[in-house]
Amino acid sequence: IKEGQRASEEWKQAWWSYCDANGQGQYDPAVYPTNFLQQFVDTHSHIDLSNPAAATPLPGTFPAVAPAAPGPTGNLVAKIKDGQRASPEWKQAWWDYCDANGLAQYDPA
């Protein structure tokens, strides 16, 4: 599921819609049982995952990120982590921010 989300914006949007309609509204596949994941894969196997560029944000923009765990910092931490996974530019911007602000590590948690 996660590889599909990285490879295809269409797959990612389909996963989010599937979770909203059939799941708990959480987008992390780790929270769902295997049969839930398999049903999604079986019903969305028509989506082309061979074009990773389709999921790559345009230069100068930041990728869309899924809502995260509730809490004062949960959403922000998840957005930073999702951004780092989705975009080298986002990751570098986070690292630059950490370096400029004297943070000893790059993990936002």
Side-chain angles (χ1 to χ4, degrees):
I1 302 292
K2 288 189 177 215
E3 288 178 22
Q5 291 181 74
R6 287 189 278 271
S8 166
E9 184 66 26
E10 181 182 3
W11 178 276
K12 180 169 58 175
Q13 292 301 321
W15 171 248
W16 290 0
S17 295
Y18 181 78
C19 291
D20 288 340
N22 303 300
Q24 304 162 359
Q26 296 182 21
Y27 305 116
D28 183 358
V31 303
Y32 294 107
T34 304
N35 63 334
F36 183 86
L37 303 175
Q38 189 61 54
Q39 183 177 357
F40 173 79
V41 171
D42 291 346
T43 58
H44 293 84
S45 61
H46 65 280
I47 298 175
D48 181 15
L49 299 178
S50 64
N51 184 10
T56 304
L58 297 173
T61 64
F62 293 108
V65 292
T73 59
N75 289 336
L76 183 57
V77 168
K79 286 182 179 184
I80 292 169
K81 287 185 174 190
D82 287 348
Q84 289 183 80
R85 286 185 206 104
S87 165
E89 291 84 8
W90 178 290
K91 185 175 188 175
Q92 187 60 54
W94 173 249
W95 288 5
D96 292 345
Y97 175 83
C98 291
D99 292 342
N101 289 284
L103 302 174
Q105 61 179 356
Y106 299 127
D107 183 2

